[in-house]
Amino acid sequence: MSPLSGIRIVDLTAILMGPYATQFLADYGADVVKVESMQGDLVRDIGPMRSPQMGPIFLNVNRSKRSIAVDLKTPEGRGLLLDLCRDADVLVYNIRPAAMARLGLSYEEVASVNPRIIYAGCYGYGQDGPYAANPAYDDLIQGGACLPYLYATASGQEPRYVPAALADRIVGLTILSGILAALVARNTTGEGQRVDVPMFETMVNVIMSDHLGGLTFEEPLDDGGYHRQMARDRRPYKTSDGYVCALIYTDKHWRRFLDAVGYGDRMDTDPRYATFTARTANIDTIYAELTEIFLSRTSAEWVDLFNEIDVPVMWMHDFRSVLEDEHLQAVGFFRKIDHPTEGRLTSMANPVKLSATPVAEPRPVPRLGEQTVEILQSLGRSQDEIDSLIDRKIVRAAAPEPSGGAVAPARHANRQ
């Protein structure tokens, strides 16, 4: 038994934020029915790929799901979605609530066919404010949550976004927690409910938990910001042959480190190093001195030394070296899997470990509409009805797999 065995999720999400959350639900054993548009999830078309609409980002956030392609703008398509919801435990969406209402899929309309359903939405902005109707993407939310400002302040360079869909992933995990909380509450109350997770408010909460600083108080004690995190030299240390990441943080760390590099009396003779408070107040000077010290040894020498004196250290990986990390290899994080149409793939394991109800064994990422027919059959549709829906382009079903599961020639998508 996986922890969510028997739970059915109607997944009306696309791109990254929602699919990242629903992949966790699928990993936990839920039956996740991914309801796609007739064109498919946009992310299918991003990156190098062997087969059309099977790009690597899509492959990395959609395992263990079943795909049905439906035109929800038609009355019959909407009816199929509501039929899916009748016996579902959760509906997840990541378009604006107003768009859901225009589709005839508001909370009230979905709850009318299934009062026990958890109706979970993750979208740009809370619906009580002036941004309610605005579209939102990761870049915009990063900007609104101060991340480019923090980068510019800390680096002295122009503002820029974090080069990863950080907001999408964090908000995805937040909606995941909301869904699980609502499922637990339903076990007590027997009632479903609406779960709303706005991106903007979520990310401001994440960033300003560190950086509200003196603005926490009335009257403000400063202009905000956690100075150590914003220090210009808080970055991987350049060594004689590369870079290494280290954090000399507590008094014990500092005494061990300073003793190891020949400055054993520094904390007793230099007040800037004496206490945590003093080091924080003088962090720019201290980081600048560390920058010079780290140039004296190789990255491997520093890693060995820090491990010996029990001070936190980590390699600075690139995309290829992280694949070879000895720890990730030992825990089986990167796995080789065989996909029916895409061939041999590198996949990442769910990092969560549950001792009694383990994460489910992953199933292949679906092609667009791969399970359309079987899902419609489960709703009681006859083959004639299914054929009619396909012919009238109400639904789309994937073509049969190539004979023997052969892999189509490699190709690269143009859409970025």
Short mmCIF file of all heavy atoms in Angstrom, two decimals, residues 273-315:
data_model
loop_
_atom_site.label_atom_id
_atom_site.label_comp_id
_atom_site.label_asym_id
_atom_site.label_seq_id
_atom_site.Cartn_x
_atom_site.Cartn_y
_atom_site.Cartn_z
N TYR A 273 35.43 38.79 15.23
CA TYR A 273 35.21 37.35 15.13
C TYR A 273 34.68 36.74 16.43
O TYR A 273 34.35 35.56 16.46
CB TYR A 273 36.51 36.65 14.77
CG TYR A 273 36.94 36.79 13.33
CD1 TYR A 273 37.59 37.93 12.89
CD2 TYR A 273 36.69 35.79 12.40
CE1 TYR A 273 38.00 38.07 11.58
CE2 TYR A 273 37.08 35.92 11.08
CZ TYR A 273 37.74 37.06 10.67
OH TYR A 273 38.13 37.19 9.36
N ALA A 274 34.57 37.52 17.48
CA ALA A 274 34.38 36.97 18.82
C ALA A 274 33.02 36.30 19.02
O ALA A 274 32.92 35.27 19.70
CB ALA A 274 34.58 38.07 19.87
N THR A 275 31.95 36.85 18.45
CA THR A 275 30.61 36.33 18.69
C THR A 275 29.82 36.27 17.38
O THR A 275 30.20 36.90 16.38
CB THR A 275 29.82 37.22 19.67
OG1 THR A 275 29.60 38.51 19.07
CG2 THR A 275 30.58 37.38 20.99
N PHE A 276 28.72 35.55 17.41
CA PHE A 276 27.85 35.47 16.23
C PHE A 276 27.37 36.86 15.84
O PHE A 276 27.36 37.23 14.65
CB PHE A 276 26.66 34.56 16.54
CG PHE A 276 25.73 34.34 15.38
CD1 PHE A 276 25.93 33.29 14.50
CD2 PHE A 276 24.64 35.19 15.17
CE1 PHE A 276 25.08 33.09 13.42
CE2 PHE A 276 23.79 34.99 14.10
CZ PHE A 276 24.01 33.93 13.22
N THR A 277 26.96 37.66 16.84
CA THR A 277 26.46 39.01 16.57
C THR A 277 27.53 39.87 15.93
O THR A 277 27.27 40.61 14.96
CB THR A 277 25.95 39.65 17.86
OG1 THR A 277 24.89 38.86 18.40
CG2 THR A 277 25.43 41.06 17.60
N ALA A 278 28.75 39.77 16.45
CA ALA A 278 29.85 40.58 15.90
C ALA A 278 30.18 40.16 14.48
O ALA A 278 30.43 41.00 13.60
CB ALA A 278 31.08 40.46 16.80
N ARG A 279 30.19 38.86 14.24
CA ARG A 279 30.51 38.40 12.88
C ARG A 279 29.43 38.84 11.89
O ARG A 279 29.73 39.21 10.76
CB ARG A 279 30.65 36.88 12.87
CG ARG A 279 31.88 36.38 13.60
CD ARG A 279 32.13 34.90 13.35
NE ARG A 279 31.05 34.05 13.84
CZ ARG A 279 30.99 33.56 15.08
NH1 ARG A 279 31.94 33.85 15.96
NH2 ARG A 279 29.97 32.79 15.45
N THR A 280 28.16 38.81 12.31
CA THR A 280 27.08 39.25 11.44
C THR A 280 27.23 40.73 11.11
O THR A 280 27.04 41.15 9.96
CB THR A 280 25.71 39.00 12.10
OG1 THR A 280 25.56 37.59 12.36
CG2 THR A 280 24.57 39.47 11.22
N ALA A 281 27.60 41.52 12.10
CA ALA A 281 27.77 42.97 11.89
C ALA A 281 28.94 43.28 10.97
O ALA A 281 28.96 44.32 10.31
CB ALA A 281 27.95 43.66 13.24
N ASN A 282 29.93 42.39 10.93
CA ASN A 282 31.13 42.63 10.12
C ASN A 282 31.26 41.62 8.99
O ASN A 282 32.36 41.32 8.54
CB ASN A 282 32.37 42.56 11.03
CG ASN A 282 32.41 43.67 12.04
OD1 ASN A 282 32.79 44.80 11.74
ND2 ASN A 282 32.01 43.35 13.27
N ILE A 283 30.13 41.10 8.51
CA ILE A 283 30.16 39.98 7.59
C ILE A 283 30.85 40.30 6.27
O ILE A 283 31.52 39.46 5.68
CB ILE A 283 28.74 39.44 7.36
CG1 ILE A 283 28.80 38.01 6.79
CG2 ILE A 283 27.94 40.36 6.45
CD1 ILE A 283 29.32 36.99 7.75
N ASP A 284 30.75 41.55 5.80
CA ASP A 284 31.41 41.89 4.54
C ASP A 284 32.92 41.76 4.66
O ASP A 284 33.58 41.19 3.78
CB ASP A 284 31.04 43.31 4.12
CG ASP A 284 29.57 43.43 3.71
OD1 ASP A 284 29.09 42.54 2.99
OD2 ASP A 284 28.92 44.41 4.13
N THR A 285 33.47 42.27 5.73
CA THR A 285 34.92 42.18 5.95
C THR A 285 35.35 40.74 6.12
O THR A 285 36.36 40.29 5.56
CB THR A 285 35.31 42.99 7.20
OG1 THR A 285 34.96 44.35 7.00
CG2 THR A 285 36.81 42.88 7.46
N ILE A 286 34.59 39.98 6.88
CA ILE A 286 34.94 38.59 7.16
C ILE A 286 34.89 37.75 5.89
O ILE A 286 35.80 36.96 5.60
CB ILE A 286 34.03 38.02 8.26
CG1 ILE A 286 34.42 38.65 9.61
CG2 ILE A 286 34.12 36.49 8.33
CD1 ILE A 286 33.49 38.30 10.75
N TYR A 287 33.82 37.90 5.10
CA TYR A 287 33.73 37.15 3.85
C TYR A 287 34.86 37.52 2.89
O TYR A 287 35.38 36.68 2.16
CB TYR A 287 32.38 37.38 3.19
CG TYR A 287 31.27 36.48 3.67
CD1 TYR A 287 29.94 36.88 3.60
CD2 TYR A 287 31.55 35.21 4.20
CE1 TYR A 287 28.91 36.05 4.03
CE2 TYR A 287 30.53 34.39 4.64
CZ TYR A 287 29.21 34.80 4.55
OH TYR A 287 28.21 33.98 4.99
N ALA A 288 35.24 38.79 2.87
CA ALA A 288 36.34 39.21 2.00
C ALA A 288 37.66 38.54 2.42
O ALA A 288 38.46 38.12 1.57
CB ALA A 288 36.49 40.73 2.05
N GLU A 289 37.89 38.41 3.73
CA GLU A 289 39.10 37.74 4.20
C GLU A 289 39.06 36.25 3.86
O GLU A 289 40.08 35.66 3.46
CB GLU A 289 39.25 37.93 5.71
CG GLU A 289 39.59 39.37 6.09
CD GLU A 289 39.81 39.54 7.59
OE1 GLU A 289 39.69 38.54 8.33
OE2 GLU A 289 40.13 40.67 8.01
N LEU A 290 37.89 35.63 4.01
CA LEU A 290 37.76 34.22 3.65
C LEU A 290 38.02 33.99 2.17
O LEU A 290 38.63 32.98 1.78
CB LEU A 290 36.36 33.71 4.00
CG LEU A 290 36.04 33.55 5.48
CD1 LEU A 290 34.59 33.13 5.67
CD2 LEU A 290 36.96 32.52 6.14
N THR A 291 37.62 34.94 1.35
CA THR A 291 37.84 34.82 -0.09
C THR A 291 39.33 34.67 -0.39
O THR A 291 39.72 33.87 -1.26
CB THR A 291 37.26 36.05 -0.82
OG1 THR A 291 35.84 36.07 -0.62
CG2 THR A 291 37.56 36.01 -2.30
N GLU A 292 40.15 35.41 0.30
CA GLU A 292 41.60 35.31 0.10
C GLU A 292 42.15 33.99 0.64
O GLU A 292 43.00 33.34 0.00
CB GLU A 292 42.30 36.49 0.79
CG GLU A 292 41.98 37.84 0.19
CD GLU A 292 42.39 37.92 -1.27
OE1 GLU A 292 43.49 37.45 -1.61
OE2 GLU A 292 41.58 38.44 -2.08
N ILE A 293 41.68 33.55 1.79
CA ILE A 293 42.18 32.32 2.40
C ILE A 293 41.89 31.11 1.51
O ILE A 293 42.74 30.22 1.34
CB ILE A 293 41.56 32.12 3.80
CG1 ILE A 293 42.08 33.21 4.76
CG2 ILE A 293 41.86 30.73 4.35
CD1 ILE A 293 41.39 33.21 6.12
N PHE A 294 40.71 31.05 0.92
CA PHE A 294 40.31 29.88 0.15
C PHE A 294 41.14 29.70 -1.13
O PHE A 294 41.19 28.60 -1.68
CB PHE A 294 38.82 29.93 -0.19
CG PHE A 294 37.96 29.31 0.86
CD1 PHE A 294 37.59 30.03 2.00
CD2 PHE A 294 37.53 28.00 0.76
CE1 PHE A 294 36.81 29.45 2.99
CE2 PHE A 294 36.75 27.41 1.74
CZ PHE A 294 36.38 28.13 2.86
N LEU A 295 41.79 30.74 -1.59
CA LEU A 295 42.62 30.62 -2.78
C LEU A 295 43.88 29.79 -2.54
O LEU A 295 44.55 29.38 -3.49
CB LEU A 295 43.03 32.01 -3.27
CG LEU A 295 41.91 32.87 -3.88
CD1 LEU A 295 42.41 34.30 -4.09
CD2 LEU A 295 41.44 32.26 -5.19
N SER A 296 44.18 29.49 -1.28
CA SER A 296 45.45 28.83 -0.95
C SER A 296 45.43 27.32 -1.13
O SER A 296 46.48 26.67 -1.07
CB SER A 296 45.83 29.15 0.50
OG SER A 296 44.88 28.60 1.40
N ARG A 297 44.26 26.70 -1.34
CA ARG A 297 44.19 25.25 -1.47
C ARG A 297 43.23 24.86 -2.59
O ARG A 297 42.44 25.67 -3.06
CB ARG A 297 43.71 24.61 -0.15
CG ARG A 297 44.50 25.03 1.06
CD ARG A 297 44.14 24.22 2.28
NE ARG A 297 44.72 24.79 3.50
CZ ARG A 297 44.84 24.13 4.65
NH1 ARG A 297 44.42 22.88 4.75
NH2 ARG A 297 45.37 24.73 5.71
N THR A 298 43.29 23.60 -2.99
CA THR A 298 42.38 23.09 -4.00
C THR A 298 41.01 22.82 -3.39
O THR A 298 40.87 22.71 -2.16
CB THR A 298 42.91 21.80 -4.63
OG1 THR A 298 42.88 20.76 -3.63
CG2 THR A 298 44.32 21.97 -5.18
N SER A 299 40.02 22.65 -4.25
CA SER A 299 38.68 22.34 -3.77
C SER A 299 38.67 21.03 -2.99
O SER A 299 38.06 20.93 -1.91
CB SER A 299 37.70 22.24 -4.95
OG SER A 299 37.59 23.47 -5.62
N ALA A 300 39.36 20.02 -3.50
CA ALA A 300 39.40 18.72 -2.82
C ALA A 300 40.07 18.83 -1.46
O ALA A 300 39.63 18.19 -0.48
CB ALA A 300 40.12 17.69 -3.68
N GLU A 301 41.13 19.64 -1.38
CA GLU A 301 41.80 19.82 -0.09
C GLU A 301 40.87 20.49 0.92
O GLU A 301 40.84 20.10 2.10
CB GLU A 301 43.08 20.64 -0.28
CG GLU A 301 44.19 19.86 -0.98
CD GLU A 301 45.38 20.73 -1.35
OE1 GLU A 301 45.20 21.97 -1.49
OE2 GLU A 301 46.49 20.18 -1.50
N TRP A 302 40.11 21.48 0.46
CA TRP A 302 39.18 22.14 1.38
C TRP A 302 38.08 21.19 1.82
O TRP A 302 37.70 21.15 2.99
CB TRP A 302 38.57 23.39 0.73
CG TRP A 302 39.48 24.58 0.72
CD1 TRP A 302 39.98 25.23 -0.36
CD2 TRP A 302 40.01 25.26 1.86
NE1 TRP A 302 40.78 26.28 0.02
CE2 TRP A 302 40.82 26.32 1.39
CE3 TRP A 302 39.89 25.08 3.25
CZ2 TRP A 302 41.48 27.19 2.24
CZ3 TRP A 302 40.56 25.95 4.10
CH2 TRP A 302 41.35 26.99 3.60
N VAL A 303 37.52 20.40 0.90
CA VAL A 303 36.46 19.46 1.26
C VAL A 303 36.98 18.46 2.29
O VAL A 303 36.32 18.18 3.30
CB VAL A 303 35.92 18.74 0.01
CG1 VAL A 303 35.01 17.58 0.40
CG2 VAL A 303 35.15 19.73 -0.87
N ASP A 304 38.19 17.94 2.07
CA ASP A 304 38.77 16.99 3.02
C ASP A 304 38.99 17.64 4.39
O ASP A 304 38.68 17.04 5.43
CB ASP A 304 40.10 16.44 2.49
CG ASP A 304 39.92 15.50 1.32
OD1 ASP A 304 38.78 15.01 1.12
OD2 ASP A 304 40.90 15.25 0.59
N LEU A 305 39.52 18.87 4.39
CA LEU A 305 39.77 19.55 5.66
C LEU A 305 38.47 19.82 6.41
O LEU A 305 38.37 19.54 7.61
CB LEU A 305 40.50 20.87 5.39
CG LEU A 305 40.69 21.77 6.63
CD1 LEU A 305 41.58 21.08 7.67
CD2 LEU A 305 41.26 23.14 6.25
N PHE A 306 37.47 20.34 5.72
CA PHE A 306 36.22 20.67 6.38
C PHE A 306 35.52 19.43 6.91
O PHE A 306 34.93 19.45 8.00
CB PHE A 306 35.31 21.44 5.44
CG PHE A 306 35.57 22.93 5.42
CD1 PHE A 306 36.80 23.42 5.02
CD2 PHE A 306 34.60 23.83 5.81
CE1 PHE A 306 37.05 24.78 5.00
CE2 PHE A 306 34.84 25.19 5.81
CZ PHE A 306 36.07 25.67 5.40
N ASN A 307 35.58 18.35 6.18
CA ASN A 307 35.00 17.11 6.70
C ASN A 307 35.75 16.62 7.93
O ASN A 307 35.16 16.10 8.88
CB ASN A 307 35.00 16.04 5.61
CG ASN A 307 33.90 16.26 4.58
OD1 ASN A 307 32.85 16.80 4.89
ND2 ASN A 307 34.15 15.84 3.35
N GLU A 308 37.07 16.79 7.93
CA GLU A 308 37.89 16.36 9.07
C GLU A 308 37.58 17.16 10.32
O GLU A 308 37.51 16.60 11.42
CB GLU A 308 39.37 16.52 8.70
CG GLU A 308 40.33 16.10 9.79
CD GLU A 308 41.79 16.33 9.40
OE1 GLU A 308 42.08 16.38 8.20
OE2 GLU A 308 42.63 16.47 10.33
N ILE A 309 37.34 18.47 10.18
CA ILE A 309 37.09 19.31 11.36
C ILE A 309 35.58 19.50 11.60
O ILE A 309 35.20 20.26 12.50
CB ILE A 309 37.79 20.68 11.23
CG1 ILE A 309 37.23 21.48 10.05
CG2 ILE A 309 39.30 20.49 11.10
CD1 ILE A 309 37.82 22.90 9.94
N ASP A 310 34.75 18.81 10.82
CA ASP A 310 33.30 18.81 11.00
C ASP A 310 32.72 20.22 10.88
O ASP A 310 31.99 20.70 11.77
CB ASP A 310 32.92 18.18 12.35
CG ASP A 310 31.43 17.86 12.44
OD1 ASP A 310 30.80 17.70 11.38
OD2 ASP A 310 30.89 17.79 13.57
N VAL A 311 33.03 20.87 9.77
CA VAL A 311 32.46 22.16 9.41
C VAL A 311 31.73 21.98 8.07
O VAL A 311 32.26 21.34 7.17
CB VAL A 311 33.55 23.25 9.31
CG1 VAL A 311 32.95 24.55 8.78
CG2 VAL A 311 34.19 23.49 10.67
N PRO A 312 30.50 22.50 7.93
CA PRO A 312 29.70 22.23 6.73
C PRO A 312 30.40 22.63 5.43
O PRO A 312 30.89 23.76 5.29
CB PRO A 312 28.44 23.06 6.95
CG PRO A 312 28.34 23.19 8.44
CD PRO A 312 29.76 23.29 8.93
N VAL A 313 30.39 21.70 4.48
CA VAL A 313 31.03 21.94 3.18
C VAL A 313 30.29 21.14 2.12
O VAL A 313 29.66 20.12 2.41
CB VAL A 313 32.52 21.53 3.22
CG1 VAL A 313 32.68 20.02 3.36
CG2 VAL A 313 33.27 22.05 1.99
N MET A 314 30.35 21.61 0.88
CA MET A 314 29.71 20.91 -0.23
C MET A 314 30.41 21.28 -1.52
O MET A 314 30.87 22.43 -1.69
CB MET A 314 28.22 21.30 -0.33
CG MET A 314 27.44 20.53 -1.36
SD MET A 314 27.36 18.75 -0.95
CE MET A 314 26.73 18.08 -2.46
N TRP A 315 30.50 20.31 -2.41
CA TRP A 315 31.02 20.59 -3.75
C TRP A 315 30.09 21.57 -4.47
O TRP A 315 28.88 21.55 -4.26
CB TRP A 315 31.10 19.32 -4.58
CG TRP A 315 31.99 18.26 -4.02
CD1 TRP A 315 31.62 17.16 -3.31
CD2 TRP A 315 33.42 18.21 -4.13
NE1 TRP A 315 32.72 16.41 -2.97
CE2 TRP A 315 33.84 17.03 -3.45
CE3 TRP A 315 34.38 19.03 -4.72
CZ2 TRP A 315 35.17 16.66 -3.37
CZ3 TRP A 315 35.71 18.66 -4.63
CH2 TRP A 315 36.10 17.50 -3.96
#
